[in-house]
Amino acid sequence: MDLEARPVSNPAKRQTWSSVLMLAYQSLGVVYGDLSTSPLYVYRNTFADDIQHSDSNDEIYGVLSFVFWTLTLIPLLKYVLIVLRADDNGEGGTFALYSLLVRHGRIGFIPNGQVADEELMACKEKDEPFHLLNDAVPISPCDGDTYSSSLMKRLLAKHKNSQRVLLLLSLLGTCMVIGDGVLTPAISIFSAISGLEFSMSREHHKYVELPFACFILLCLFTLQRVGTRRLGFLFAPIVIIWLLCISLIGAYNIVHWNPHIYRALSPYYMFKFLKKTGRGGWMSLGGVLLCITGSEAMYADLGHFSQSSVKIAFAFVVYPSLLLAYMGQAAFLTQHHVIENHHRIGFYVSVPERLRWPVLVIAILAAVVGSQSVITGTFSIIKQCSALSCFPRVKIVHTSSKIDGQIYIPEINWILMLLCLAVTIGFRDTKHLGNAQGLAVIIVMLVTTCLMSLVIVVCWHKNIFFAICFLIFFGTIEVIFFSASLIKFLEGAWFPIALASFLMMVMYIWHYGTVKKYEFDVQNKVPINWLLSLGPSLGFVRVRGIGLIHTELASGIPAIFTHFVTNLPAFHQVLVFLCIKSIPIPHVRPEERFLVGRVGPKEFRSYRVIVRYGYHDVHKDDLEFEKDLVSSIAEFIRSAGHERNSLAEGTDNGDEKMTVVSTGFRFSEEKIESEVAPGLSGSNEMHSSAIPRKKRVRFVLPKSAMIEKGAEEELQDLMNAREAGMAFILGHSHMRAKSGSSLIKRLSINFGYELLRRNCRGPMYAISIPHASTLEVGMAYNV
């Protein structure tokens, strides 16, 4: 039942050039698979219906100019030079921006947040080590703030509606990323196999293309459970070969067909294009937008690499390769004006005939790599949302013990597969798929722009003037693309909106229900004074063993405990109130994970343990968690700090006096063979040697440990209780809205939240608990 995460170091620090270059090489296969395959469908979607390729070449020059400046301003200027700097201790993505704003703005993200969490997050901001809570110096919210930063923080902290808007904005970006995880495999695979049209008639091609695409997608999602650890080393070489291939073909087309195509990079051709094509040219920008699909991955996958490696890979490999590819296609089209049908305006028409089959194979492999990266990214962001109580709990399988982030979520994988096959069969062409993907991508970028403008003020303490300039400049560009994509609502763009609306409803209902459940627990918790009045025996029989009571509360006695002892007046000799929670930082170091304190005097043998995880921490399922839990309590007992906290919880505000402890203290284990049961005689004794003797573990105090005399007795009790075993008391709640609640609240709680709760997985820590050691206490909630 180990929830312990591997310590993850920030790769952005203290790196040599060789390690940076190696990370840059690896990032090509993980980060840039989607972006590098965009030349397969950009020109095809741009020239689908809205504009025609004329003899004057104004259209192709204008489209190339738009592609060049879009690639330069969005991925290169916005992401590489600005957004990548806003990492959350090496992590990136929509939730990284949100967690930065939550911490710096002192916005209550988690309902059971404590001063300890704020100080830990403050240390993360300063990149300082964090040891004991009692010795930590709180950082003032206004340290280093400008007037604009202080004003923005006060506005966010004061107005609850602004916090809700911030949460909804983050959820919207997250939902669109999930939508991109559905659409990217479909359009990438569909576009890659479109080269088959050159080897068969169009009548035969339409019967081959769709089944072949579905077969590849089916294989792709079926193999997800294996993980990418065995084939991951091939991803970077495949993308490099693909980029080299499109670069060489692009260079050949430029030299052979139109060496002066570079003139089209002038912004003059953009204005000329819009002037000539009018509304049709504006609508075709939805196709141009597809040239930057996958740009968000540079930021979202930042945690696996470093800023330098991602920037180097894009600036020196991906960016020039894509420019050569788009310029080469444009150069070819300037000399080929007679196009049989819209399928012919695409990538493969500009590929020399002798190279089409090898390029087709490489394109399919590159499309699979790009799709794999997007699917893995979708798993990762759902894991983040689930850790921060914004998504129902799902089963998370770690497919690699060496590489962080290699995860597999079975339920999400099959849902993505069904949705991906549905859109592939339903849309049947890259035009509608491109319209849907374009809208999803531009909404994610708009969300990033909005959150980033707040980060500039709140987190970077810059003048609000810089944030407004950032918002206006990039926001204007993205709004233009957004309007061009939205107008194609009925031509496929409706899909990401419909999917995001459903996902946002699910995520917000789950978050709302979780918060309401916690508020009910807080209102109905039992004061510590009730426990103190019972005396050392707590008013009931104490039996051997450790009783572990899970609760979301960081202070006070949960109602399930009183409900339990009322019906069964006996409990274990060691009582532990366990709270496991996630806080809005990427990782919590193992030595900072456990907060331990007493519940009542020392004689009560009752403790509170709060276990903290970051939203990117890995949760394992094995019994090591029990050892770490007991070790943290033992270390707390052994340390001198426990004497200061003997009545820390007496005021119901004990979380401020709890101690951060490591798991360094370990009991020694001795394996002892059980003796043969008495009463065996005669022939039974003769055959007793054939009976396998049971082995049990006996715990003893380590001889080398420096233990005070007063703590030795308490440690001995803990050791004996650990030897007897653990029992887990889990709450099983049923929540209903109060009578007189609004219709929306009744629907959200009674149907929405309860339906999700009944069908989602239980808490991660409960997965591997033996059923014989588990007690469930049922309670009804009216919120």
Side-chain angles (χ1 to χ4, degrees):
M1 192 189 72
D2 184 17
L3 298 180
E4 186 63 39
R6 297 186 297 276
V8 181
S9 60
N10 187 352
K13 299 180 181 179
R14 295 184 296 273
Q15 287 187 324
T16 62
W17 273 107
S18 59
S19 61
V20 170
L21 292 177
M22 179 57 68
L23 284 174
Y25 164 77
Q26 294 172 350
S27 70
L28 291 172
V30 177
V31 177
Y32 297 109
D34 183 16
L35 184 61
S36 64
T37 55
S38 57
L40 288 169
Y41 44 81
V42 169
Y43 283 119
R44 168 179 287 196
N45 281 65
T46 304
F47 287 95
D49 289 326
D50 302 315
I51 57 175
Q52 299 297 323
H53 180 36
S54 65
D55 295 341
S56 64
N57 289 327
D58 290 337
E59 292 82 6
I60 192 64
Y61 284 164
V63 170
L64 177 59
S65 184
F66 267 107
V67 168
F68 168 74
W69 286 106
T70 303
L71 273 173
T72 302
L73 294 177
I74 302 298
L76 186 61
L77 180 59
K78 176 186 172 182
Y79 282 94
V80 171
L81 298 182
I82 301 176
V83 175
L84 287 181
R85 296 177 57 205
D87 66 301
D88 184 14
N89 290 99
E91 300 293 336
T94 303
F95 261 89
L97 289 175
Y98 183 51
S99 66
L100 282 173
L101 292 171
V102 165
R103 294 206 309 272
H104 287 265
R106 300 300 194 268
I107 303 171
F109 182 87
I110 44 177
N112 54 356
Q114 301 168 275
V115 175
D117 302 333
E118 293 183 6
E119 295 189 2
L120 175 59
M121 292 185 291
C123 288
K124 291 294 182 182
E125 294 168 16
K126 296 290 186 179
D127 197 24
E128 295 173 351
F130 179 76
H131 299 291
L132 291 180
L133 180 61
N134 295 327
D135 300 328
V137 179
I139 297 175
S140 172
C142 297
D143 287 349
D145 285 1
T146 63
Y147 174 77
S148 301
S149 177
S150 301
L151 178 62
M152 189 64 67
K153 288 180 180 180
R154 287 196 296 269
L155 290 175
L156 290 174
K158 182 178 180 181
H159 299 285
K160 293 294 183 182
N161 288 333
S162 63
Q163 298 178 22
R164 293 191 185 97
V165 170
L166 200 61
L167 175 63
L168 289 174
L169 197 62
S170 302
L171 293 181
L172 175 62
T174 301
C175 293
M176 287 300 174
V177 171
I178 298 173
D180 191 32
V182 174
L183 294 165
T184 294
I187 191 173
S188 298
I189 300 297
F190 212 92
S191 300
I193 66 175
S194 64
L196 293 173
E197 66 182 347
F198 292 97
S199 61
M200 61 186 69
S201 64
R202 185 172 180 182
E203 288 74 18
H204 292 156
H205 174 257
K206 66 181 181 181
Y207 293 110
V208 173
E209 186 179 37
L210 184 61
F212 192 30
C214 292
F215 173 75
I216 294 176
L217 290 171
L218 191 63
C219 293
L220 176 64
F221 284 99
T222 303
L223 294 175
Q224 288 299 311
R225 62 187 180 89
V226 179
T228 59
R229 64 186 185 278
R230 294 188 177 92
L231 299 176
F233 70 95
L234 292 175
F235 286 178
I238 289 173
V239 174
I240 289 176
I241 293 172
W242 168 250
L243 291 173
L244 181 63
C245 177
I246 62 176
S247 300
L248 293 176
I249 292 174
Y252 167 79
N253 286 330
I254 292 171
V255 174
H256 187 71
W257 296 111
N258 190 349
H260 302 290
I261 192 65
Y262 65 88
R263 296 175 180 173
L265 303 183
S266 170
Y268 163 76
Y269 288 94
M270 290 193 296
F271 298 105
K272 188 176 180 180
F273 168 78
L274 292 176
K275 183 178 180 180
K276 179 178 180 180
T277 57
R279 186 174 185 271
W282 166 61
M283 294 177 64
S284 69
L285 294 180
V288 174
L289 169 63
L290 298 178
C291 73
I292 54 175
T293 57
S295 298
E296 187 72 22
M298 287 193 290
Y299 184 50
D301 294 330
L302 188 61
H304 303 299
F305 303 99
S306 64
Q307 289 187 30
S308 301
S309 61
V310 173
K311 291 177 180 179
I312 289 172
F314 180 79
F316 294 100
V317 180
V318 179
Y319 181 70
S321 298
L322 292 177
L323 287 186
L324 284 174
Y326 288 119
M327 291 173 67
Q329 291 185 58
F332 179 89
L333 291 175
T334 58
Q335 303 300 321
H336 297 80
H337 303 96
V338 179
I339 307 297
E340 296 179 6
N341 51 63
H342 72 277
H343 288 290
R344 291 288 180 174
I345 296 187
F347 171 74
Y348 289 103
V349 71
S350 63
V351 177
E353 188 174 355
R354 295 180 180 179
L355 299 178
R356 279 177 184 161
W357 276 106
V359 171
L360 174 66
V361 174
I362 298 172
I364 293 175
L365 292 176
V368 169
V369 171
S371 302
Q372 173 63 51
S373 302
V374 172
I375 294 170
T376 303
T378 304
F379 291 158
S380 178
I381 200 167
I382 288 177
K383 175 180 177 292
Q384 294 179 36
C385 295
S386 181
L388 296 176
S389 301
C390 290
F391 198 87
R393 291 183 294 266
V394 290
K395 180 181 180 180
I396 298 175
V397 179
H398 298 277
T399 59
S400 175
S401 59
K402 298 179 179 179
I403 304 175
D404 293 307
Q406 295 292 339
I407 61 175
Y408 167 67
I409 305 178
E411 300 95 328
I412 302 300
N413 181 67
W414 302 125
I415 292 173
L416 287 177
M417 185 190 73
L418 293 176
L419 291 173
C420 193
L421 290 174
V423 297
T424 303
I425 297 172
F427 290 146
R428 292 174 178 265
D429 60 23
T430 56
K431 173 189 171 183
H432 292 83
L433 289 170
N435 294 339
Q437 188 190 26
L439 185 62
V441 167
I442 199 60
I443 290 178
V444 175
M445 292 183 176
L446 276 169
V447 169
T448 301
T449 299
C450 294
L451 294 178
M452 188 65 205
S453 61
L454 291 175
V455 167
I456 291 173
V457 177
V458 176
C459 306
W460 290 358
H461 310 302
K462 301 296 183 182
N463 193 288
I464 197 171
F465 172 77
F466 296 104
I468 293 175
C469 290
F470 178 87
L471 181 63
I472 292 177
F473 182 76
F474 292 107
T476 301
I477 297 172
E478 290 162 359
V479 165
I480 292 173
F481 282 118
F482 173 74
S483 62
S485 299
L486 188 63
I487 202 167
K488 298 182 180 180
F489 181 84
L490 298 178
E491 300 177 31
W494 59 268
F495 178 78
I497 295 179
L499 180 62
S501 300
F502 175 76
L503 289 173
M504 282 190 68
M505 180 178 65
V506 169
M507 295 168 76
Y508 194 79
I509 286 176
W510 181 262
H511 180 73
Y512 176 77
T514 303
V515 171
K516 287 297 179 183
K517 180 178 179 297
Y518 177 78
E519 290 175 353
F520 180 87
D521 289 338
V522 170
Q523 293 171 2
N524 292 272
K525 70 179 180 180
V526 179
I528 297 293
N529 293 331
W530 172 82
L531 191 68
L532 297 176
S533 64
L534 299 178
S537 67
L538 301 183
F540 41 75
V541 180
R542 304 291 290 269
V543 297
R544 289 189 65 198
I546 298 177
L548 201 65
I549 302 169
H550 175 260
T551 173
E552 300 293 336
L553 297 175
S555 63
I557 306 299
I560 61 168
F561 177 70
T562 58
H563 187 68
F564 174 80
V565 297
T566 301
N567 294 277
L568 186 63
F571 211 78
H572 299 82
Q573 67 185 99
V574 175
L575 178 63
V576 179
F577 295 97
L578 176 66
C579 173
I580 300 176
K581 65 181 179 181
S582 294
I583 56 179
I585 60 175
H587 302 284
V588 177
R589 292 187 296 183
E591 61 268 23
E592 301 170 353
R593 192 174 308 285
F594 288 87
L595 270 171
V596 185
R598 294 188 185 279
V599 181
K602 182 162 117 177
E603 296 76 16
F604 279 40
R605 299 296 191 263
S606 60
Y607 311 91
R608 183 181 308 282
V609 179
I610 298 174
V611 189
R612 303 175 295 179
Y613 289 91
Y615 57 79
H616 263 312
D617 278 333
V618 178
H619 294 223
K620 297 179 184 178
D621 299 325
D622 57 49
L623 297 177
E624 284 299 315
F625 177 71
E626 294 183 23
K627 295 181 180 179
D628 288 341
L629 178 66
V630 175
S631 297
S632 66
I633 299 174
E635 180 65 27
F636 169 77
I637 295 172
R638 187 185 67 85
S639 65
H642 75 281
E643 297 178 359
R644 302 190 301 250
N645 294 356
S646 59
L647 287 174
E649 293 276 357
T651 61
D652 263 4
N653 195 22
D655 55 277
E656 296 181 352
K657 297 182 180 179
M658 296 183 72
T659 305
V660 177
V661 297
S662 64
T663 57
F665 188 95
R666 294 281 184 178
F667 291 115
S668 301
E669 297 182 8
E670 294 181 354
K671 292 185 178 179
I672 303 176
E673 291 187 356
S674 301
E675 297 180 358
V676 179
L680 294 175
S681 60
S683 61
N684 288 339
E685 289 184 0
M686 294 173 59
H687 297 288
S688 63
S689 60
I691 301 175
R693 295 171 177 250
K694 291 185 177 181
K695 292 185 178 182
R696 62 187 181 91
V697 177
R698 178 183 176 185
F699 298 92
V700 295
L701 294 175
K703 297 179 181 179
S704 60
M706 300 294 295
I707 304 173
E708 296 181 4
K709 188 174 181 180
E712 187 172 350
E713 181 182 352
E714 191 174 359
L715 283 171
Q716 188 68 42
D717 289 343
L718 178 65
M719 180 183 63
N720 295 335
R722 175 71 180 92
E723 187 175 335
M726 280 189 178
F728 301 86
I729 289 82
L730 305 176
H732 187 78
S733 60
H734 178 70
M735 198 160 63
R736 304 281 297 179
K738 293 179 180 178
S739 58
S741 300
S742 65
L743 177 62
I744 294 178
K745 183 176 181 179
R746 291 201 305 272
L747 291 175
S748 300
I749 298 297
N750 298 351
F751 297 99
Y753 180 78
E754 281 299 304
L755 179 66
L756 294 173
R757 185 192 60 80
R758 286 195 300 268
N759 290 279
C760 76
R761 292 191 172 259
M764 182 68 80
Y765 54 83
I767 291 177
S768 58
I769 296 176
H771 292 289
S773 303
T774 305
L775 293 172
E776 289 194 4
V777 181
M779 289 193 67
Y781 290 74
N782 290 313
V783 298

